[in-house]
Amino acid sequence: MTLHDRQKNLTEIVAGNTGLPAKVDVVAQVMSQTRLSADVCKLVLQAPSIALRSQPGQFVQVGLQQGGTLLRRPLGLAEVDNRQGNISLIYRIVGKGTDALSNLREGAVVKVLGPLGHGFSKETQKPLLVGGGMGLSPLLYCAKWLSAHNIKVDVLMGGRTAEELFWQRLFATCTDNIYLTTDDGSLGLKGFVTDLLPQILTKSDYDKVMVCGPEIMMKNVYKVCREKIVPCEVSLERRMGCGLGACLSCSIDTLSGRRKVCKDGPVFPAEEVFF
Ligand code: FES
């Protein structure tokens, strides 16, 4: 059976609403591994059954065999290509697990469980995406999805230096306007995304702001959105054990009670979150 046939069958099963589970646990082959900056890599995996089920803002648990133990790492979906059956993950090398991940080459295999969590709501006609650091990874998938559905997307991104904003290239094909800030002024406006955000929200009639990045950034972005009365969604990051809502390691307090970032999120309406 060809990849196309497999995807077609899966499409029919999902369309037929036969109760197929929302997530699957698969063995995925590495299609490519690319270095995007000194410590950031892009891993493309062949996982058609996950690609087919995925929504922007969701994540997967990637399992690596280490000394006889399967260690899972939660990683946000950065791109999904349903024609090829591929998913892309962009991650920073921060420890042994991600270092081991960065050494995988084409043809290697990993265990992948997903897609997991709830992503961004798609009720928008004029969104502004705001991101910093690795928070730009789930926003990339979001921008590509919106653009593929003929919704014009603008993005405001911030980094410490110009080198950190390699993301600009990745967003170029799926966004209309890209606004940039850097802490050192080496690219775009010198300062933080929140220095530029008020004037961007004033000059355009965005109906939603979608944010992912450091928590302090999301908190301050939400503050500006509240003042300008623009709905805001945030994608939270927490340490995750199971990724399935079972271990409670990712619990947070929200306006509607105790919630799990892995299962109820990672995307929440900003007004629900106690920053
Ligand atoms: Fe276990 Fe969320 S990671 S409940």
Side-chain angles (χ1 to χ4, degrees):
M1 189 184 276
T2 65
L3 174 63
H4 176 76
D5 290 332
R6 287 206 307 274
Q7 283 184 312
K8 186 165 168 282
N9 280 357
L10 275 168
T11 306
E12 282 164 3
I13 292 166
V14 171
N17 195 17
T18 56
L20 195 78
K23 57 183 173 291
V24 288
D25 201 358
V26 298
V27 174
Q29 190 175 334
V30 174
M31 304 305 286
S32 65
Q33 175 94 257
T34 321
R35 192 62 73 141
L36 299 177
S37 76
D39 58 353
V40 177
C41 295
K42 176 179 171 182
L43 179 69
V44 180
L45 299 171
Q46 177 141 77
S49 54
I50 292 182
L52 190 66
R53 291 163 165 83
S54 296
Q55 298 295 326
Q58 289 188 298
F59 65 98
V60 292
Q61 289 268 46
V62 178
L64 269 176
Q65 210 70 38
Q66 280 188 336
T69 317
L70 184 72
L71 292 178
R72 300 264 195 190
R73 291 274 181 291
L75 292 172
L77 290 160
E79 283 171 341
V80 168
D81 180 346
N82 266 306
R83 273 176 310 163
Q84 300 294 326
N86 291 344
I87 60 172
S88 301
L89 310 169
I90 298 178
Y91 61 95
R92 174 168 282 142
I93 303 169
V94 287
K96 276 188 188 166
T98 41
D99 187 46
L101 203 59
S102 73
N103 289 323
L104 295 178
R105 292 291 170 262
E106 195 180 329
V109 291
V110 284
K111 294 268 284 172
V112 188
L113 171 66
L116 300 169
H118 281 102
F120 292 100
S121 73
K122 298 173 203 138
E123 290 137 19
T124 175
Q125 289 307 312
K126 188 140 197 233
L128 174 70
L129 311 187
V130 184
M134 298 311 294
L136 284 156
S137 170
L139 293 179
L140 179 62
Y141 178 18
C142 193
K144 293 206 169 204
W145 189 95
L146 291 164
S147 164
H149 288 77
N150 300 318
I151 296 168
K152 290 190 177 198
V153 186
D154 291 348
V155 62
L156 165 60
M157 60 177 75
R160 281 173 299 188
T161 62
E163 200 212 345
E164 277 192 10
L165 291 185
F166 60 85
W167 295 97
Q168 193 188 169
R169 293 193 310 273
L170 307 181
F171 278 84
T173 56
C174 56
T175 46
D176 265 27
N177 297 300
I178 300 182
Y179 303 100
L180 306 165
T181 67
T182 46
D183 297 3
D184 65 357
S186 53
L187 188 63
L189 180 84
K190 184 171 194 261
F192 303 126
V193 290
T194 39
D195 294 324
L196 200 50
L197 184 61
Q199 91 184 59
I200 295 175
L201 289 184
T202 302
K203 79 173 186 202
S204 278
D205 53 343
Y206 295 107
D207 62 7
K208 183 169 286 185
V209 173
M210 296 149 149
V211 200
C212 191
E215 194 125 331
I216 182 72
M217 189 203 87
M218 294 198 283
K219 177 184 174 175
N220 290 333
V221 167
Y222 170 50
K223 221 163 115 189
V224 176
C225 291
R226 204 175 46 199
E227 278 160 20
K228 300 283 182 188
I229 321 178
V230 182
C232 177
E233 284 184 337
V234 292
S235 178
L236 301 181
E237 196 179 320
R238 285 291 179 283
R239 274 195 179 280
M240 288 187 193
C242 65
L244 297 166
C247 73
L248 305 184
S249 67
C250 65
S251 294
I252 56 161
D253 286 316
T254 71
L255 214 55
S256 51
R258 202 98 177 118
R259 310 285 294 277
K260 295 164 193 160
V261 170
C262 70
K263 199 161 182 237
D264 304 313
V267 178
F268 293 90
E271 66 272 17
E272 287 272 311
V273 178
F274 298 125
F275 282 110

